[in-house]
Amino acid sequence: MEFLSYLISGLSLGSIYALIALGYTMVYGIAKMLNFAHGDIIMVGGFIVFTLCTTLGLDSIWGILGAIVGCTILGVIVEKVAYKPLRSASPLAVLITAIGVSYLLQNLALLIFGSGTKTFTSVVTIPKISLFDDQLVITGETIVTIIVSVIIMVGLVFFVNKTKPGHAMRAVSEDRGAAQLMGINVNATISLTFAIGSALAAVAGILMCSAYPSLTAYTGAMPGIKAFVAAVFGGIGSIPGAMVGGILLGVFESLSRAYISSQLSDAIVFAVLIIILTIKPTGLMGKKISEKV
């Protein structure tokens, strides 16, 4: 029963990683950019909900909507201001800019909210489920997180494969220049990708802070890094791969923390990633891309 409890906890944590990884993989798959500020947008989403619900006393639905809208707008602004001028720049320049944006968001949060830890009130109202005479308890946050992550993954796969904007994203991903010649608005497509990725970060931030009710300016930093690991683990650029990578990463972390060492759990997770990438460099569900020279 104890193992099952740890497994469910890992699935919940992995679902959060999966949501964040979906944002990473969307942006990289279409825009070919590693947006390392993505984790800090999670933190922004958490603070928006905290401000609207705890400080202003609004209903949780307004906090959720405010966080999603606010993070979506923030993602589009970051893309326009920080990344759009660097479309032709080297990957190193984009990476350094992303790190700069990350530190900017963290320090703005420190200036506005201070360095103290805020207590986050869960927005999930679903009651917990007790099984086997209360030996196994599944929280409402766990149930909602797993269901939401699966629904979002299915929705993204449908969106990318069956809708006109999704087809435009796939075209831009394959060949940006050719897509532009075919009449596709590349700038609008990339902005839409950042908007979707940032909205997913907001949802992930809300669910993460509901499950682990503490909030600081650095809340999104480590989950963002781990979600990037999950995206690479599953095959960056692959939506199902991001989901699988996030779930497996969460399960590995939960079980290693329970049965091996809580202090070494992060090291074990990264060691597993190294082993997997040594065997399959493209990740579990990534595709090998042949480059013409």
Side-chain angles (χ1 to χ4, degrees):
M1 200 62 62
E2 191 177 70
F3 172 80
L4 194 57
S5 177
Y6 291 134
L7 181 62
I8 292 172
S9 176
L11 288 174
S12 176
L13 180 61
S15 296
I16 294 171
Y17 289 156
L19 282 174
I20 308 169
L22 284 170
Y24 268 120
T25 209
M26 285 282 291
V27 171
Y28 181 81
I30 284 89
K32 297 296 183 287
M33 294 178 181
L34 292 176
N35 180 22
F36 279 111
H38 190 69
D40 297 288
I41 295 178
I42 299 167
M43 171 269 296
V44 172
F47 271 117
I48 291 175
V49 176
F50 176 82
T51 301
L52 293 177
C53 296
T54 304
T55 307
L56 299 180
L58 298 180
D59 193 71
S60 59
I61 187 66
W62 295 111
I64 294 169
L65 291 175
I68 293 172
V69 172
C71 288
T72 300
I73 294 171
L74 176 62
V76 172
I77 291 173
V78 166
E79 190 276 327
K80 293 289 185 187
V81 174
Y83 298 136
K84 185 177 178 181
L86 300 175
R87 295 269 172 85
S88 309
S90 66
L92 181 60
V94 177
L95 178 61
I96 292 171
T97 301
I99 294 171
V101 173
S102 173
Y103 279 113
L104 173 64
L105 293 176
Q106 288 177 12
N107 282 277
L108 284 175
L110 285 172
L111 286 172
I112 297 170
F113 298 101
S115 58
T117 301
K118 310 295 182 184
T119 301
F120 191 93
T121 303
S122 175
V123 299
V124 177
T125 56
I126 295 177
K128 64 183 180 181
I129 297 176
S130 299
L131 302 172
F132 307 108
D133 295 327
D134 291 338
Q135 294 184 50
L136 178 64
V137 177
I138 305 174
T139 64
E141 287 80 8
T142 296
I143 297 168
V144 170
T145 300
I146 294 172
I147 292 173
V148 166
S149 63
V150 172
I151 291 173
I152 287 178
M153 188 209 69
V154 172
L156 279 179
V157 171
F158 176 83
F159 176 80
V160 170
N161 291 302
K162 300 296 182 181
T163 66
K164 188 175 180 180
H167 292 161
M169 287 180 177
R170 292 173 63 188
V172 172
S173 175
E174 289 291 331
D175 192 321
R176 194 179 299 176
Q180 193 163 11
L181 291 174
M182 294 293 290
I184 294 172
N185 189 331
V186 173
N187 290 330
T189 301
I190 292 176
S191 293
L192 177 61
T193 304
F194 270 83
I196 293 173
S198 299
L200 294 178
V203 174
I206 294 165
L207 293 173
M208 183 177 72
C209 291
S210 293
Y212 309 95
S214 63
L215 182 62
T216 71
Y218 306 106
T219 290
M222 184 54 73
I225 293 172
K226 289 181 179 177
F228 173 69
V229 170
V232 175
F233 186 22
I236 193 162
S238 167
I239 292 174
M243 185 72 184
V244 172
I247 295 293
L248 290 177
L249 192 74
V251 170
F252 285 152
E253 182 176 337
S254 179
L255 294 180
S256 61
R257 185 181 289 132
Y259 292 108
I260 301 176
S261 169
S262 59
Q263 295 177 333
L264 294 177
S265 60
D266 290 345
I268 293 168
V269 165
F270 287 108
V272 170
L273 172 72
I274 293 170
I275 293 169
I276 293 294
L277 293 183
T278 301
I279 299 169
K280 197 173 188 299
T282 56
L284 294 176
M285 301 180 71
K287 295 179 181 179
K288 188 174 181 180
I289 300 173
S290 299
E291 294 187 7
K292 296 181 180 179
V293 294

